Amino acid sequence: MSAIEVPEVCEGVQAPKISPGRRAQHSGDKIASILSKTGSAQSAKVPSLRGLAREVGVAESTIRYWMNRKSKHHLDAETVAFLESPAGVRFLQRQMVAQHFVFGLMGGCGPSLHRYFLQLTGLHTFVACSNTTLRSLMRKLLDAVVNWGDQAKTDLAKTMPLRKVSLGVDETFFADMVLVAMDVAAGFIISEKSSAHRDTDTWEEHVRSGVKGLNVELVQVVGDGAKALNALAKDRLKIPKIDDLWHGQSAITRGTSAALASKVKAADTKLDQVCKDWGQIVRSRKKYDQQPHGRGRPPAWAAREVHAQQEADAAESELYRTIKNQGAVQQCVCDLGIILHPVDLKTGELQDATKVQCELQKTFDRVEIVVREAGLGERSQAAVLKAKRLLPSWVASVNQWHERLKNCLSDVKLAAAVLALFHDVLIPLLYLQRVIGQTRDTERRKELQKVQEKLHGVFMESAGIWQALPAALRRSLLAVAQDCVDLFQRSTGCVEGRNGVLSLHQHQMRGLNPQALTALTVVHNFVTTRCDGSTAALRFFGRAPDKPLFEHLCQVLPLPARPRKRLRRPVVNLIIASAA
């Protein structure tokens, strides 16, 4: 019997080409299927495996090799029998796909770690785990993820309702610059590509290509104060541009924190020195009183001690003043975030742009007073002025939100009582719910929850008005209210967080090629979930893809190859051999 046996091929089907001198490669499911028949052949008391070999078109010696290989595994017999079965091969494929998807794509692990994992689990004797094989599987997985993402985005866009998008934009720098555009409310990445430029034309091309085919309406752009982004929003997209709150807070912090910390350190050092001098005076007087003295006027120890105490009190007051100034600036920075809301977080009532402007102006006045009294330099003063220039944009964002809320209410025909409940209670209640979910400080969260409970009590008092509405109308009003709440966006924190995630992948993968970057975008949009279990695609399109990404990968990626039996060549030490 020849070493290679090719089964008969139907007419019209091209036979597989096998290079001379190379053994035929058999898939894992075929091997498992043949091995499952060997047990039935032996139970039927077949005199040899020759009949089975002719039936499946595989050399008898090859089948015997597969049978003998089962006894050479280090795992127990039951596990080996399962992994050698067709179900075991499918499990191995699922395991390899999951391993490369989670560890390789999402975790940035290389082939060496994959191979070490397989060796620890004992699966390296069932699946091929050379660098070439693992890298090949990773490339196929990236291609499959990208293709699935494009198709899923196209399919979901066909049935998505109109969505009003607040576009958060920013760039991050690695070996190549990456431009990121994201729906701030849903967290869905609309465009994430490498680029050599970040001018207005480049940004417009990225945004328009990202929203192409999507049923969206861009209502505002949120970002830093870059001229290209301002021109993108106002001149190209013809929508408002909202300056990011974080950049204003960061400007104040960077401009004042180091100078204030330096003054605190200097005051603390001076207080330590003055206390040491005071202690030295006390010790010198005690030593002087213990020794006999002749004629002459004694030192004015009392005056010295009083003067030292006065200097210590002054140094302590200066330290307290510098610490107070430092805390005041930090509190003002926090107050900017507390004030800039269309809802008063202390009372739960809607607040207009005039009130927000007044409170923000008072906060900036306090910062300027502290900077002036602390004697900070021009750099700190310029940083405060830089942040203050963002004040008109912040106030405009509140005013624009109220205008959009008014337009939404004008489209909904409701009774006066229902309209008042919707405007004064439901909108603030949903807004507070969003703020509470974003608040990390425990005490601050408890304060907001008290306000929320108060509003909820008011809502329950009018529950009869709400329950009298049809169920479909209630669901519609809740959706409209949530959309109105999501329209107020003041920060690109989600984009900054995405930049941090890309930075980690950049470090782990030693660079991100365009294919890997696109695959990571698909993972962010369709796989990563929030605490409520929703993905960005679900929040953006309103529904999830018909088939999950992982199930698609298990279907299209090939079954794992078996490890080859290689002849180990003896390692010859040339130095020892020549010496012998």
Side-chain angles (χ1 to χ4, degrees):
M1 185 176 294
S2 60
I4 302 177
E5 295 188 8
V6 182
E8 296 182 0
V9 182
C10 298
E11 183 178 357
V13 180
Q14 185 178 2
K17 297 181 180 180
I18 302 176
S19 302
R22 184 173 179 178
R23 294 183 179 275
Q25 298 296 318
H26 303 282
S27 61
D29 58 342
K30 182 178 180 180
I31 296 175
S33 177
I34 295 174
L35 288 178
S36 64
K37 294 180 180 180
T38 58
S40 61
Q42 291 176 353
S43 62
K45 298 182 179 181
V46 177
S48 67
L49 297 177
R50 187 171 302 172
L52 179 61
R54 282 197 298 266
E55 177 185 350
V56 298
V58 178
E60 180 184 350
S61 59
T62 303
I63 298 178
R64 291 190 181 277
Y65 165 71
W66 292 339
M67 295 175 62
N68 295 332
R69 184 173 56 183
K70 295 174 62 175
S71 61
K72 297 181 180 179
H73 294 290
H74 300 291
L75 302 177
D76 57 90
E78 294 181 355
T79 304
V80 172
F82 168 71
L83 295 176
E84 292 284 7
S85 66
V89 173
R90 291 192 296 271
F91 167 78
L92 288 174
Q93 186 219 20
R94 195 175 185 88
Q95 186 271 333
M96 290 294 290
V97 173
Q99 178 180 329
H100 280 73
F101 184 74
V102 177
F103 298 163
L105 178 57
M106 300 178 68
C109 296
S112 59
L113 291 178
H114 284 286
R115 183 170 56 255
Y116 186 55
F117 173 82
L118 294 173
Q119 290 173 350
L120 290 178
T121 56
L123 299 179
H124 65 291
T125 57
F126 297 91
V127 295
C129 55
S130 64
N131 286 351
T132 303
T133 302
L134 296 177
R135 288 196 180 102
S136 175
L137 178 58
M138 193 65 195
R139 286 192 297 267
K140 294 177 182 178
L141 184 139
L142 291 178
D143 293 338
V145 169
V146 172
N147 294 334
W148 181 91
D150 294 339
Q151 187 62 42
K153 184 178 179 180
T154 303
D155 295 341
L156 293 174
K158 295 177 181 179
T159 59
M160 72 174 298
L162 176 63
R163 179 174 180 82
K164 296 182 179 181
V165 173
S166 298
L167 193 66
V169 291
D170 197 13
E171 67 278 341
T172 185
F173 298 91
F174 306 117
D176 297 323
M177 181 173 57
V178 178
L179 304 183
V180 182
M182 182 184 297
D183 181 353
V184 181
F188 185 86
I189 298 177
I190 294 177
S191 176
E192 186 175 55
K193 298 179 181 178
S194 300
S195 176
H197 306 282
R198 49 174 174 167
D199 52 20
T200 305
D201 295 334
T202 305
W203 269 115
E204 183 182 13
E205 178 185 356
H206 278 269
V207 172
R208 294 195 183 279
S209 63
V211 300
K212 185 178 180 180
L214 300 177
N215 188 18
V216 297
E217 176 189 352
L218 301 179
V219 296
Q220 61 188 1
V221 172
V222 186
D224 55 28
K227 296 180 179 179
L229 298 181
N230 294 334
L232 169 69
K234 299 176 182 179
D235 300 336
R236 304 297 177 84
L237 302 178
K238 306 298 182 181
I239 56 178
K241 165 64 168 51
I242 307 301
D243 289 318
D244 183 23
L245 171 65
W246 179 84
H247 283 86
Q249 294 174 313
S250 178
I252 298 176
T253 302
R254 289 199 308 265
T256 60
S257 59
L260 290 172
S262 176
K263 289 188 175 295
V264 171
K265 183 178 180 180
D268 185 56
T269 302
K270 183 178 180 180
L271 178 61
D272 289 342
Q273 185 61 43
V274 169
C275 290
K276 289 180 182 178
D277 296 342
W278 187 9
Q280 183 63 34
I281 292 174
V282 173
R283 288 191 296 272
S284 298
R285 181 178 183 177
K286 184 177 181 180
K287 183 178 180 181
Y288 179 85
D289 293 339
Q290 293 176 352
Q291 297 176 356
H293 302 283
R295 296 180 179 180
R297 180 180 300 175
W301 294 112
R304 292 183 183 183
E305 290 183 0
V306 170
H307 180 69
Q309 184 177 2
Q310 292 175 349
E311 287 189 345
D313 293 340
E316 186 177 5
S317 299
E318 178 64 17
L319 177 61
Y320 173 77
R321 188 178 69 86
T322 55
I323 294 176
K324 183 180 178 181
N325 290 338
Q326 188 181 42
V329 173
Q330 293 175 354
Q331 185 60 46
C332 288
V333 172
C334 295
D335 289 343
L336 292 177
I338 296 174
I339 296 170
L340 188 54
H341 290 283
V343 176
D344 190 341
L345 302 184
K346 297 179 181 178
T347 62
E349 300 176 353
L350 295 179
Q351 56 182 1
D352 57 12
T354 303
K355 181 180 179 181
V356 172
Q357 182 179 11
C358 181
E359 296 297 326
L360 290 176
Q361 185 62 50
K362 291 180 181 179
T363 304
F364 275 108
D365 292 342
R366 294 203 308 270
V367 175
E368 291 175 341
I369 291 174
V370 171
V371 170
R372 185 168 56 253
E373 290 181 350
L376 303 186
E378 296 181 357
R379 180 176 177 272
S380 299
Q381 298 176 11
V384 176
L385 291 177
K386 178 182 178 181
K388 194 174 182 179
R389 286 196 292 268
L390 305 179
L391 180 58
S393 175
W394 296 345
V395 176
S397 67
V398 178
N399 187 48
Q400 291 162 8
W401 183 82
H402 281 282
E403 291 294 331
R404 295 191 188 100
L405 177 60
K406 186 184 299 183
N407 294 334
C408 290
L409 294 179
S410 63
D411 297 337
V412 181
K413 304 301 181 181
L414 298 173
V418 179
L419 187 62
L421 182 66
F422 182 88
H423 182 273
D424 299 335
V425 181
L426 186 59
I427 292 289
L429 194 61
L430 292 178
Y431 190 87
L432 281 173
Q433 182 178 352
R434 190 184 82 174
V435 175
I436 290 173
Q438 297 172 344
T439 303
R440 295 184 179 181
D441 184 74
T442 304
E443 296 299 326
R444 180 64 183 163
R445 192 186 303 114
K446 290 181 180 179
E447 295 176 1
L448 294 174
Q449 287 173 346
K450 291 180 181 179
V451 180
Q452 185 188 30
E453 291 173 358
K454 177 182 176 181
L455 276 176
H456 189 264
V458 176
F459 183 81
M460 294 305 297
E461 291 176 359
S462 306
I465 301 176
W466 180 256
Q467 293 296 333
L469 300 175
L473 180 58
R474 293 200 301 268
R475 290 193 296 269
S476 177
L477 290 178
L478 282 175
V480 171
Q482 189 62 57
D483 291 340
C484 291
V485 168
D486 290 339
L487 285 178
F488 183 78
Q489 300 294 339
R490 57 178 194 164
S491 176
T492 57
C494 58
V495 185
E496 298 292 344
R498 178 61 180 173
N499 293 343
V501 172
L502 290 181
S503 178
L504 293 176
H505 284 290
Q506 168 77 15
H507 175 71
Q508 292 169 339
M509 297 182 178
R510 298 177 179 86
L512 286 175
N513 57 62
Q515 191 78 342
L517 179 61
T518 306
L520 289 173
T521 304
V522 174
V523 170
H524 172 90
N525 287 338
F526 294 94
V527 178
T528 305
T529 60
R530 287 182 179 175
C531 297
D532 58 357
S534 64
T535 63
L538 178 60
R539 297 186 294 270
F540 184 80
F541 293 105
R543 68 182 185 91
D546 296 332
K547 190 173 186 179
L549 172 57
F550 181 73
E551 299 300 330
H552 172 77
L553 295 177
C554 292
Q555 181 179 351
V556 300
L557 291 180
L559 295 172
R562 296 296 300 242
R564 287 188 178 181
K565 180 182 179 181
R566 296 182 178 273
L567 296 177
R568 295 186 176 274
R569 298 180 179 178
V571 179
V572 180
N573 192 319
L574 298 180
I575 298 178
I576 297 178
S578 60

